[in-house]
Amino acid sequence: MESTAVITEALTEAVTEAAGSGSGTLVEFFYKGWLGLLAEQGRIPVALWIGAIVLCALLGYFLGSINFAVVISRVKFHDDIRRHGSGNAGATNMTRTYGKGAGVATLAGDILKAIVTVLLARALVGDVFAYLAGMCCALGHAFPCYYRFKGGKCVAVTAAMALALEPLAFLAIFLIFVVIVGFTKYVSLGSIAAAMFYPLILHNIMESRFGHGDLRILFVFVICALVVWLHRENIRRLLAGTENKLNLKKGKKDEEKKEK
């Protein structure tokens, strides 16, 4: 209990000092995180900071494993979205199967879990390892431990991570996604293209800002390679000309009404 009180007091002092010391300290605060700064100053053991990095990575995976498409399809529709359409537990398949409301709810849940993961990790262990936590969140979303390791394709999770950690990169990949989907109506093609450009865009931002890249690029590259790999069936269908196009007007409920 005494050690917990000491750590809490040290964290409070660090936050207070950061708030009163100007933007330079706040920038450093975001880059290194509370525990990173305290470890650098020798106020907590470095092992505690490293342990927090591991904890954030694990938390990212377990939060990512909460798949809202599966949860909503089971709770609201007493069904499993993975048995319909493309078999993907994501917002697009939810929209096609159950309608726009279910798709929006799924998207909101996936975005929320990614943002909570990376912002918490950034506050504790810094910006670089927030990307590690985001990568683990994406892995959890794709291979959820709660649902037999069969999940979604990480598009919303990746976009939410980009939005929370580097809004400029998010804006660029979002524009790529919107333009491609707008012209082709293929959500999968827009997702693949955005994922392929994301590491390059982030690398250019890091180069212009710091003069070099770092581990953030590697973590993003792993995520985006995963996104492309998870879309391998979509790529086959795109090449064969059999991929489904986006149609917001149809859903499972609409089809059932037509049958009646």
Side-chain angles (χ1 to χ4, degrees):
M1 292 295 293
E2 185 176 343
S3 60
T4 303
V6 170
I7 293 171
T8 303
E9 183 181 353
L11 287 174
T12 304
E13 288 178 7
V15 173
T16 304
E17 289 172 7
S21 300
S23 60
T25 304
L26 287 175
V27 169
E28 194 176 31
F29 213 63
F30 277 123
Y31 182 73
K32 297 178 181 178
W34 295 345
L35 296 181
L37 281 175
L38 292 174
E40 185 179 67
Q41 296 164 6
R43 297 166 70 179
I44 63 170
V46 174
L48 179 61
W49 176 56
I50 295 173
I53 293 171
V54 174
L55 182 63
C56 286
L58 290 174
L59 180 64
Y61 175 77
F62 289 119
L63 278 178
S65 291
I66 302 173
N67 191 292
F68 286 89
V70 177
V71 171
I72 293 169
S73 64
R74 286 182 176 179
V75 173
K76 184 172 178 58
F77 302 102
H78 308 290
D79 200 355
D80 191 328
I81 183 61
R82 295 171 295 180
R83 291 166 22 185
H84 299 281
S86 64
N88 180 52
T92 301
N93 198 31
M94 286 289 284
T95 300
R96 290 193 183 117
T97 305
Y98 301 115
K100 286 184 284 187
V104 170
T106 300
L107 183 63
D110 290 342
I111 288 173
L112 180 62
K113 71 183 181 185
I115 289 178
V116 168
T117 294
V118 298
L119 291 186
L120 179 61
R122 177 194 255 177
L124 287 176
V125 295
D127 196 63
V128 173
F129 296 108
Y131 280 87
L132 170 63
M135 182 186 76
C136 292
C137 185
L139 289 171
H141 183 75
F143 310 108
C145 59
Y146 311 128
Y147 310 110
R148 299 182 181 180
F149 302 98
K150 185 180 178 183
K153 296 180 179 177
C154 303
V155 175
V157 169
T158 304
M161 183 185 77
L163 175 62
L165 296 178
E166 189 54 68
L168 185 60
F170 168 78
L171 179 60
I173 62 175
F174 181 70
L175 287 175
I176 291 170
F177 174 82
V178 168
V179 169
I180 292 178
V181 175
F183 277 102
T184 68
K185 303 301 180 186
Y186 289 126
V187 174
S188 58
L189 184 59
S191 301
I192 292 166
M196 292 176 70
F197 276 101
Y198 183 20
L200 178 60
I201 291 168
L202 184 63
H203 175 74
N204 289 337
I205 292 173
M206 294 296 106
E207 282 282 348
S208 64
R209 186 175 298 163
F210 304 114
H212 59 81
D214 55 27
L215 283 173
R216 282 173 283 205
I217 312 301
L218 175 61
F219 296 141
V220 166
F221 178 82
V222 171
I223 296 170
C224 293
L226 176 63
V227 170
V228 174
W229 182 77
L230 291 170
H231 281 83
R232 61 195 182 281
E233 292 299 327
N234 302 85
I235 294 172
R236 292 192 185 101
R237 290 195 294 268
L238 284 166
L239 293 173
T242 58
E243 176 73 330
N244 291 324
K245 292 188 175 183
L246 179 65
N247 185 355
L248 296 176
K249 295 180 180 180
K250 285 184 67 176
K252 188 174 182 180
K253 290 182 178 180
D254 297 322
E255 292 174 357
E256 288 174 352
K257 286 179 182 179
K258 287 182 181 178
E259 289 176 2
K260 290 179 182 179

